[in-house]
Amino acid sequence: VREAQVAVQGRGGAQPCRGWGGRAWRCGGAEGNIYFGVVPREFDYTVYNCLWAHPPKDGALVATYGRVTLGNKIVVRGGIANVGRRNLPGRRGAVATPVAVQVAVGNQVVGQAQFTNADSMTPAEFNTAPWRGQTLAVTFAVSAANAEMRQFCMIPEARE
């Protein structure tokens, strides 16, 4: 997490997030739950240490790792935390929109995956074979059409 550069990208441009105790990045003002850091979260009775990446109301939470040695693919396991799946239906006007994760190598987008309430640490694969063996920047952009209760966690890995 310390190696990442994290910002909220919105209509007005990028708003950098502040480092928070060396463990996480705190982003934005009113939306206190917008941060990026490792947290333990339960998915279908299994606890994972995953990267909390709740999308902001407008735009995307963007985390860039400047030096990733790439293999043939990046696998992102992701899911919406149980509390977000359970509490949303009772909230007036709330809509359970998917969370989108877009992955880029350097400035090139290699793909996007959608995670819904039904996903519980579901893997999505992104082809990085053209850059195999190279050390490059990798960016993850997390967004949702309606970010309310989209308490998203992910575990990204570069694999052979």
Side-chain angles (χ1 to χ4, degrees), residues 33-152:
N33 59 347
I34 307 302
Y35 66 91
F36 183 80
V38 178
V39 296
R41 283 291 178 260
E42 184 255 324
F43 291 88
D44 295 331
Y45 308 105
T46 301
V47 176
Y48 296 88
N49 284 322
C50 54
L51 291 170
W52 178 270
H54 192 304
K57 191 182 301 182
D58 295 308
L61 179 64
V62 179
T64 300
Y65 287 86
R67 297 185 48 77
V68 177
T69 302
L70 296 165
N72 288 318
K73 60 187 170 186
I74 290 175
V75 177
V76 176
R77 294 177 67 196
I80 297 165
N82 285 351
V83 67
R85 293 188 281 172
R86 285 193 301 262
N87 292 347
L88 186 67
R91 297 176 78 88
R92 185 177 169 168
V95 178
T97 61
V99 171
V101 176
Q102 183 182 77
V103 177
V105 173
N107 291 324
Q108 185 170 342
V109 173
V110 295
Q112 179 172 299
Q114 302 277 328
F115 295 89
T116 68
N117 278 1
D119 296 314
S120 183
M121 287 317 216
T122 302
E125 293 188 4
F126 302 91
N127 181 18
T128 58
W131 303 280
R132 185 173 187 264
Q134 295 180 51
T135 301
L136 299 167
V138 175
T139 300
F140 302 93
V142 180
S143 63
N146 178 0
E148 184 176 3
M149 299 302 290
R150 304 291 76 197
Q151 298 172 356
F152 184 72

